[in-house]
Amino acid sequence: MPTTARAFPNLTVVAHPLVAHKLTLLRNRATPTKVFKELVDEIAMLMAYEATADLSLEPAPVETPLERTDGWQVSGKKLTLVPILRAGLGMVDGVLRLVPSARVGHIGLYRDHDTLEPVDYYFKVPADAPERDFLILDPMLATGGSAASAIASLKRVGASRVRLLCLVAAPEGVARLQAAHPDVHIFCAALDRELNANGYILPGLGDAGDRLFGTR
Ligand code: PRP
Ligand code: URA
């Protein structure tokens, strides 16, 4: 399994120094829940800047106090954020700080502990999916099962412009998504080494949902 980002054309590793710094704090097992939540929020905001870099614009001329000049606005329907429950919820507010008018859908999935396959329990996104850009939010891309299932659900309702924002990705998950959904670009803060036998990312940061919500 290749472990360098160069092997994956659909992957962007956001290498900003602030992202690397905050991710290191996030990985630390001693980081308490409150700080963990703040860091996920901050990293999501920083990464959203990169993940929205190619949104299309349309002209929007503007009157300054002195004269009329050229201006621009993001074109089309509002961007739609789709956190995968639960851990993806921790990324929503950070992204909304940059894109406050974004809509928010939700996809409920959990990994079966034995098979590691995703189990669906909730799906709600805006009705006009074919006309929208979607940004799926989930801190962890491990086997890729959850993200692949979320993307398939979005495509079933007509979505065609989908990207994924995660914090830590495993090569196994990136490869699975690249095979199943080659049209979906992935943005992550780090491409880690591998999965362990229980499907956890190494070195990773542990169970993102439990660390965010203090459930372990
Ligand atoms: C975690 C994580 C992803 C999934 C990644 O969620 O937030 O959704 O695992 O694993 P995968 O790539 O192998 O599918 P989990 O199933 O633990 O649910 P939770 O967010 O409710 O804790
Ligand atoms: N889900 C997590 O929260 N962490 C992992 O390392 C893998 C899946």
Side-chain angles (χ1 to χ4, degrees):
M1 177 66 59
T3 56
T4 66
R6 276 194 308 278
F8 300 113
N10 64 336
L11 179 72
T12 298
V13 180
V14 177
H16 193 286
L18 291 177
V19 171
H21 179 98
K22 289 173 191 292
L23 179 66
T24 303
L25 298 173
L26 198 66
R27 289 189 193 275
N28 189 334
R29 66 187 306 156
T31 297
T33 297
K34 175 176 179 291
V35 179
F36 190 92
K37 201 180 299 179
E38 290 164 358
L39 288 166
V40 169
D41 175 87
E42 291 165 7
I43 298 171
M45 183 183 72
L46 292 168
M47 291 185 67
Y49 184 76
E50 293 276 347
T52 54
D54 65 347
L55 286 181
S56 49
L57 292 173
E58 62 190 15
V62 62
E63 298 281 346
T64 78
L66 300 175
E67 63 179 31
R68 188 175 171 81
T69 187
D70 295 343
W72 301 94
Q73 64 187 17
V74 175
S75 62
K77 297 263 183 183
K78 306 290 184 218
L79 177 69
T80 302
L81 313 181
V82 185
I84 298 181
L85 307 179
R86 317 169 273 173
L89 289 174
M91 301 170 70
V92 173
D93 286 350
V95 181
L96 280 177
R97 230 173 291 130
L98 280 196
V99 195
S101 61
R103 305 303 191 234
V104 183
H106 294 87
I107 294 182
L109 290 173
Y110 69 86
R111 273 201 325 180
D112 180 280
H113 279 292
D114 298 321
T115 65
L116 298 184
E117 285 304 311
V119 180
D120 256 291
Y121 61 88
Y122 189 75
F123 182 85
K124 182 77 181 176
V125 299
D128 47 4
E131 296 158 55
R132 290 183 180 273
D133 286 281
F134 287 90
L135 185 58
I136 297 180
L137 308 177
D138 192 332
M140 309 306 279
L141 178 64
T143 65
S146 302
S149 166
I151 295 164
S153 299
L154 284 176
K155 287 183 174 175
R156 272 196 295 277
V157 296
S160 61
R161 298 192 302 275
V162 180
R163 54 194 93 181
L164 170 69
L165 187 55
C166 58
L167 304 189
V168 181
E172 293 88 338
V174 178
R176 179 166 173 175
L177 275 199
Q178 193 165 266
H181 301 288
D183 55 308
V184 172
H185 200 87
I186 304 164
F187 296 85
C188 69
L191 178 65
D192 274 10
R193 192 177 70 246
E194 61 184 345
L195 296 179
N196 72 10
N198 298 318
Y200 276 84
I201 300 175
L202 298 175
L205 49 74
D207 188 307
D210 282 344
R211 294 195 67 189
L212 261 173
F213 296 109
T215 44
R216 178 151 299 179

